[in-house]
C-alpha cells in the first residue's frame, strides 16, 4: 500500500493534478514565448534548457513540501537565462561560437581529417555509421562532410562521379575490407583503413594519420 498508494490523504491526488496543470501550462507559455524548436532541431543551449526544466518542474508536481511559487521562480529564471543567452548569440558571433559551437569539416576529398580523428566529438566508427545512414558506401563518394552544430553529419558528393575510396559498407566490425601489405604490389590502389587516404607510391605509413593498415579501395 505504501509503495503503490503512498501515505498521503486521498485528496492529495487532486492536488497532484492541480500542481501538474499549473506547472505544465506555465512552462508551455514560457516555451512558446521562447519560440523553441522541435527536439530534433535543438541547439546545445536549448537541449540544456530541456534538462533544466525537467528537473525544475518535476518535484513541484508531486512533492507536497515543494511550493508552486518556488518551482515557478526556478522555471522563470531558467527561461530568462536562456533568452539572455539567445540575445547574446544574436549580437555576438564570438558568443555564438562559445555557447553553441560551430560546424567542423571532417572529410575533404574522401579523406577524414587527421585532427578530427584525435580530438573529434565522435569516433571514426560513428562517423562512418552516420555516412551509411545517408546511403554512402565508400569514402570516395564524399567530396566534403561536416559535423554541424547540432551533431548531425552533412555530406556532399562529387558532381562528376565518385573517386576510389575506403569501403565502409559493410561495417568493418562485421566484415573487414580486403587488406594488403604496403610492400606487396596491390592489384588496386590501397586506402588507409583509418582515414581513407589513397596510398601514394612507396608509402608504407599513411601521410595523413600515420597508420600503416591498408585495404583495397573500391569505386
Amino acid at each position: 500500500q505504501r509503495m503503490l498508494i503512498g501515505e498521503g490523504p486521498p485528496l492529495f491526488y487532486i492536488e497532484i493534478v492541480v500542481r501538474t496543470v499549473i506547472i505544465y501550462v506555465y512552462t508551455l507559455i514560457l516555451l512558446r514565448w521562447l519560440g523553441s524548436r522541435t527536439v530534433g532541431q535543438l541547439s546545445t543551449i536549448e537541449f540544456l534548457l530541456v534538462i533544466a526544466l525537467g528537473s525544475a518542474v518535476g518535484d513541484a508536481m508531486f512533492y507536497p513540501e515543494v511550493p508552486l511559487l518556488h518551482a515557478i521562480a526556478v522555471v522563470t529564471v531558467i527561461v530568462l537565462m536562456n533568452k539572455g543567452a539567445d540575445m547574446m548569440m544574436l549580437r555576438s558571433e564570438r558568443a555564438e561560437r562559445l555557447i553553441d559551437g560551430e560546424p567542423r569539416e571532417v572529410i575533404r576529398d574522401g579523406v577524414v581529417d587527421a585532427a578530427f580523428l584525435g580530438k573529434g566529438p565522435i569516433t571514426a566508427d560513428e562517423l562512418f555509421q552516420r555516412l551509411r545512414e545517408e546511403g554512402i558506401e565508400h569514402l570516395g563518394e564524399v567530396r566534403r562532410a561536416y559535423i554541424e552544430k547540432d551533431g548531425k553529419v552533412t555530406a556532399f558528393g562529387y558532381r562528376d562521379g565518385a573517386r576510389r575510396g575506403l569501403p565502409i559498407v559493410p561495417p568493418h566490425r562485421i566484415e573487414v575490407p580486403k587488406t594488403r601489405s604496403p610492400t606487396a604490389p596491390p592489384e588496386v590502389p590501397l586506402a588507409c583503413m583509418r582515414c581513407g587516404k589513397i596510398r601514394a607510391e612507396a608509402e608504407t605509413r599513411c601521410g595523413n594519420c600515420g597508420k600503416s593498415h591498408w585495404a583495397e579501395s573500391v569505386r
Side-chain angles (χ1 to χ4, degrees), residues 111-115 117 182 190-214:
V111 179
V112 181
D113 180 40
L117 290 171
L190 301 181
C192 174
M193 289 188 61
R194 187 165 187 242
C195 70
K197 179 182 178 297
I198 300 299
R199 174 179 174 267
E201 186 176 355
E203 186 178 30
T204 57
R205 286 191 174 272
C206 175
N208 181 50
C209 68
K211 298 298 181 180
S212 56
H213 301 288
W214 305 90

Side-chain angles (χ1 to χ4, degrees), residues 42-94:
L42 289 182
S43 62
T44 302
I45 192 169
E46 287 176 325
F47 185 69
L48 178 62
L49 170 69
V50 171
I51 297 175
L53 284 180
S55 177
V57 305
D59 292 349
M61 289 183 178
F62 53 84
Y63 284 132
E65 62 271 16
V66 179
L68 286 179
L69 286 181
H70 290 187
I72 288 175
V74 172
V75 170
T76 303
V77 171
I78 291 173
V79 170
L80 290 178
M81 290 177 61
N82 184 270
K83 191 68 173 179
D86 282 341
M87 297 300 295
M88 289 176 57
M89 290 190 294
L90 286 174
R91 296 178 181 179
S92 170
E93 292 185 4
R94 183 178 180 182

